[in-house]
Amino acid sequence: MNRPTLLLCCALGLFGCAAAMADNAPAQVITAAGAYHPLPQAAYQPDRNATYKVVFSLTKAGDKPDHISPSLERVARTVNLYASAGVPLDHLKFVAVASGDATGIVLDDAHYRAQFGTANPNLVVISQLRKAGVDVAVCGQAMAEHHYPNDWASKDVTLSLSALTTITVLEQQGYALMPL
């Protein structure tokens, strides 16, 4: 095989590998929750070059304390969907703030066990979200209203003044509100 033909074959091979890799969705970023169904041909795919700013208002704890909060599950799914569409994690400016009935999902394991009689299933998800760049916060007012001292919150959780101020401050900064 002559040199130009060999170079062309190598280039086509590399192009084929790159195309095959582009068709395969990246591995799920948040593995403890957030399962999704890849739909690469569906409409309204995220722009891989855009930055997305979302504040999630987590207000539901879920029916069973030994299950991951459905609100937290949706945050994980959102991260996984954007990542599967090729959006880099540093283009996701996500904040999830727990309040109301969801306040307890952020408790460290010892205090969650004391309150609910089981290990906190949300902690692995919160840790993975934090590693992916998501700021998981809790409403300081809700912590006080539930009689939870602030130091009962997981070390992976940010204590905010309130969900009300967190959401409005972030909306003023261009974040979209996603109530869950």
Side-chain angles (χ1 to χ4, degrees):
M1 190 178 303
N2 64 28
R3 186 166 186 204
T5 304
L6 181 62
L7 289 175
L8 179 62
C9 288
C10 288
L12 288 173
L14 288 174
F15 176 75
C17 287
M21 288 172 58
D23 287 341
N24 294 330
Q28 190 166 313
V29 175
I30 309 301
T31 58
Y36 64 96
H37 305 281
L39 298 169
Q41 303 308 319
Y44 304 110
Q45 294 286 332
D47 178 350
R48 296 173 183 201
N49 299 310
T51 297
Y52 297 91
K53 296 165 71 173
V54 180
V55 56
F56 299 88
S57 176
L58 312 181
T59 59
K60 297 177 184 136
D63 296 333
K64 299 178 183 177
D66 61 336
H67 287 83
I68 294 169
S69 157
S71 296
L72 205 55
E73 167 77 30
R74 299 297 292 251
V75 176
R77 177 177 286 178
T78 305
V79 171
N80 287 336
L81 285 166
Y82 276 90
S84 76
V87 178
L89 292 178
D90 64 353
H91 288 209
L92 303 179
K93 308 302 181 197
F94 289 177
V95 177
V97 59
S99 64
D101 290 342
T103 304
I105 70 173
V106 304
L107 294 177
D108 63 31
D109 199 56
H111 293 100
Y112 192 92
R113 282 179 189 273
Q115 291 291 308
F116 302 106
T118 187
N120 188 343
N122 302 292
L123 294 179
V124 174
V125 180
I126 291 169
S127 176
Q128 289 181 359
L129 286 168
R130 176 68 70 181
K131 287 177 185 160
V134 177
D135 183 16
V136 179
V138 65
C139 172
Q141 303 306 303
M143 288 288 285
E145 289 169 6
H146 283 86
H147 306 288
Y148 300 152
N150 294 337
D151 62 355
W152 285 15
S154 163
K155 63 180 175 44
D156 288 326
V157 173
T158 301
L159 178 69
S160 73
L161 172 61
S162 72
L164 297 170
T165 57
T166 301
I167 291 167
T168 56
V169 165
L170 291 174
E171 283 187 306
Q172 289 290 317
Q173 295 174 13
Y175 282 68
L177 173 61
M178 179 71 66
L180 299 174

